[in-house]
Amino acid sequence: MAKFFLMRCVHHPGQEAIRDTHRPHHRAWVQTGGEGLVSVLIGSALLDDSGVSIGNFGILEAASRDDAQNFAEGDPFNRAGVVASIELTLLPDSFQAERITDPMTPRR
């Protein structure tokens, strides 16, 4: 049975240029669910109070925590050294994924 995770990736400060370089690869990774590791239901950048990007988040549907972790670690932002920390939080069985009507990748 699939599980849902909140993924939160905090980036190192001052990574704007590197992030811009790797953004197309990051978006392709998300669109494929990490080549099928997960389904990304929704995600976006994380901003500080002044509107500067400090990371990204996503709601993932995965067969296991390992698949979710491998997705996060395989992201081009992480492989390029942009990501300072990755946090995965298991969401409850009562999480209403069906309320997300336009997932970023096909549902599992």
Side-chain angles (χ1 to χ4, degrees), residues 44-95:
S44 187
L46 296 170
L47 306 177
D48 67 13
D49 290 341
S50 64
V52 174
S53 181
I54 58 168
N56 59 284
F57 82 94
I59 301 289
L60 311 179
E61 181 178 17
S64 67
R65 178 178 287 277
D66 286 344
D67 284 352
Q69 187 73 37
N70 289 334
F71 170 79
E73 289 175 358
D75 186 302
F77 283 164
N78 187 58
R79 291 189 317 234
V82 172
V83 177
S85 66
I86 297 168
E87 179 181 302
L88 291 172
T89 304
L90 181 64
L91 299 175
D93 291 340
S94 60
F95 177 70

Side-chain angles (χ1 to χ4, degrees), residues 7 9 11 22-41 56-61 66-80 83 86 88 104-106:
M7 175 193 71
C9 299
H11 297 175
H22 292 280
R23 184 171 287 111
H25 305 291
H26 161 77
R27 288 183 175 159
W29 182 255
V30 169
Q31 288 173 346
T32 67
E35 299 172 352
L37 284 169
V38 303
S39 293
V40 181
L41 302 186
N56 59 284
F57 82 94
I59 301 289
L60 311 179
E61 181 178 17
D66 286 344
D67 284 352
Q69 187 73 37
N70 289 334
F71 170 79
E73 289 175 358
D75 186 302
F77 283 164
N78 187 58
R79 291 189 317 234
V83 177
I86 297 168
L88 291 172
M104 298 174 86
T105 61

